[in-house]
Amino acid sequence: MAVLEILTYPDDRLRQVSEPVKQFDAALQGCIDDLEETRLAGPGAVGIAAAQVAWFQRVLIVDVSGRKKTGNHGHLILVNPEITEWDGFAIGREGCLSVPDYTGNVVRAERIQLDALDRDGNALCFDMEGFEARAVQHEMDHLDGLLFLDRLVSRRQDLFQRKVYK
Amino acid sequence: MSNWYMLTLVGKDQPGIVARVTTALFEAGSNLGETSMIRLGEYFTVMMMVRSDAGDDALCSVLQPVVDALGLVLHIHAIDGGLHHRPIPDVCILVHGGDRAGIVSQVTSKAAQAGLNILDLESDVGGTESEPIYILQIEGMATQGVESVEKALAPLQADGVKIDVRPIDTLIG
């Protein structure tokens, strides 16, 4: 296992679109382990995408289970993830291991349905919402060469966009 | 050695203030850090961190032609530190209600007692001249917890002010 170097913006490689995983072999397992070790070595990241360590395959890790009052499906290794349904939208604050010292508001779907494979190639399907759904959408953007910076919305306008009525 | 300065510029709003000020600074070899620029009333206000090797007298003379041409007031203040010391806010407070004297004072005093360190505050008066409404948005760090701030502000709701205190959950991915 190894802690890998994280690409940071404006590194052009963060714009690269990742390829689907085709072989579930020992090399894949090793890369996944390194990716997780790299995530854990960073400052409190709830997720990481393979592209952030210059590994351009469609793999990501999300784990929001350490947060209070946050619905979650535990520690997830997601290979070739696809969002099959979106519902609602919410503004939330995001930062990124690849964009140090900056956070901003981003609109994401509030609920998603997600198909993916696990690290052994078995099919997974999840209904996700809130913070976990946001984390998956953030990481999936990396697989398509996108950063949260590409989706920033104004901090000054959010009074009228957020759901303040309960 | 690089030095940081806080520059404040205020003047009647007109097209080109930002362009002319920043061009003068750029041509003099200065760099911008964090900035806040916004129109308040009929005035345009600029506060910006500027890094310069030349010293405050040189900065002043670089900007003087622009300041004179646009009728701005300039203040330069040498500051410590630099970039990359940005605290991440963990609480957002939204306040609105019929405009009356003392809203900001009451909200911020109670919040400060409950441990709030304000990082960003903006307020506005909307509505009509006869029925103005006041809107206040604050982001900050709740050093004694978000619940502490919420509890401290709750009594103000009774005075017809709507106050919403929410945690800011920053996702790092």
Side-chain angles (χ1 to χ4, degrees):
Chain A
M1 302 244 289
V3 174
L4 307 172
E5 185 190 348
I6 290 180
L7 302 182
T8 53
Y9 187 75
D11 193 313
D12 280 343
R13 289 173 290 175
L14 288 166
R15 295 302 185 190
Q16 193 167 325
V17 176
S18 295
E19 297 292 325
V21 171
K22 290 184 179 133
Q23 294 199 10
F24 293 80
D25 53 13
L28 177 75
Q29 306 307 323
C31 288
I32 289 172
D33 290 342
D34 287 347
L35 188 63
E36 174 64 347
E37 196 173 342
T38 306
R39 178 183 76 88
L40 294 174
V46 294
I48 191 168
Q52 289 178 276
V53 297
W55 173 32
F56 299 103
Q57 297 217 307
R58 300 185 82 81
V59 176
L60 56 88
I61 299 173
V62 164
D63 184 3
V64 302
S65 65
R67 299 171 49 84
K68 289 178 195 162
K69 300 179 193 165
T70 304
N72 70 87
H73 293 85
H75 183 275
L76 298 175
I77 293 163
L78 302 172
V79 179
N80 301 345
E82 297 278 350
I83 294 173
T84 55
E85 280 184 44
W86 288 262
D87 184 33
F89 74 88
I91 291 180
R93 190 67 52 87
E94 298 185 19
C96 185
L97 295 172
S98 296
V99 187
D101 194 43
Y102 187 78
T103 62
N105 283 341
V106 180
V107 178
R108 303 284 186 188
E110 220 165 359
R111 285 170 294 279
I112 57 170
Q113 200 170 80
L114 181 77
D115 286 349
L117 302 174
D118 70 10
R119 65 189 299 164
D120 299 313
N122 301 306
L124 302 168
C125 185
F126 299 103
D127 288 312
M128 291 183 173
E129 60 179 27
F131 203 80
E132 186 178 51
R134 173 173 295 275
V136 166
Q137 291 170 79
H138 176 113
E139 302 312 337
M140 283 185 67
D141 268 354
H142 283 298
L143 306 183
D144 291 323
L146 290 169
L147 298 169
F148 81 97
L149 297 177
D150 299 311
R151 300 189 186 273
L152 283 180
V153 295
S154 170
R155 290 186 183 213
R156 292 189 181 273
Q157 305 301 330
D158 67 359
L159 176 62
F160 303 106
Q161 293 178 14
R162 288 194 192 188
K163 282 191 165 178
V164 295
Y165 304 104
K166 287 169 187 165
Chain B
M1 181 186 149
S2 284
N3 294 302
W4 282 97
Y5 299 90
M6 192 66 76
L7 267 60
T8 309
L9 291 130
V10 180
K12 275 267 184 174
D13 193 22
Q14 57 199 296
I17 295 176
V18 178
R20 291 183 66 175
V21 167
T22 55
T23 299
L25 291 169
F26 169 64
E27 288 175 350
S30 304
N31 290 301
L32 300 189
E34 297 165 34
T35 73
S36 164
M37 310 190 199
I38 192 166
R39 180 176 157 130
L40 300 176
E42 292 180 4
Y43 288 80
F44 196 71
T45 69
V46 176
M47 294 201 74
M48 53 190 175
M49 292 172 63
V50 175
R51 191 175 60 201
S52 168
D53 303 329
D56 47 357
D57 286 345
L59 267 182
C60 200
S61 30
V62 158
L63 288 171
Q64 204 58 51
V66 180
V67 163
D68 291 342
L70 299 177
L72 306 175
V73 176
L74 167 68
H75 180 75
I76 300 179
H77 181 68
I79 56 170
D80 292 331
L83 303 176
H84 312 297
H85 302 298
R86 192 196 305 273
I88 295 181
D90 61 6
V91 65
C92 168
I93 303 168
L94 304 180
V95 180
H96 57 88
D99 189 24
R100 61 167 170 77
I103 296 178
V104 178
S105 161
Q106 288 165 6
V107 168
T108 56
S109 297
K110 286 195 179 299
Q113 283 163 17
L116 180 72
N117 182 6
I118 295 175
L119 298 173
D120 188 356
L121 182 152
E122 58 191 89
S123 68
D124 208 341
V125 182
T128 59
E129 290 230 3
S130 57
E131 280 189 292
I133 59 167
Y134 198 80
I135 304 123
L136 172 64
Q137 299 187 68
I138 299 173
E139 286 191 1
M141 292 190 298
T143 61
Q144 296 167 25
V146 174
E147 280 179 11
S148 166
V149 175
E150 198 167 12
K151 209 169 145 189
L153 295 181
L156 294 176
Q157 301 254 30
D159 298 336
V161 181
K162 172 80 172 70
I163 299 176
D164 196 4
V165 178
R166 267 176 289 158
I168 299 176
D169 290 327
T170 300
L171 181 149
I172 305 293

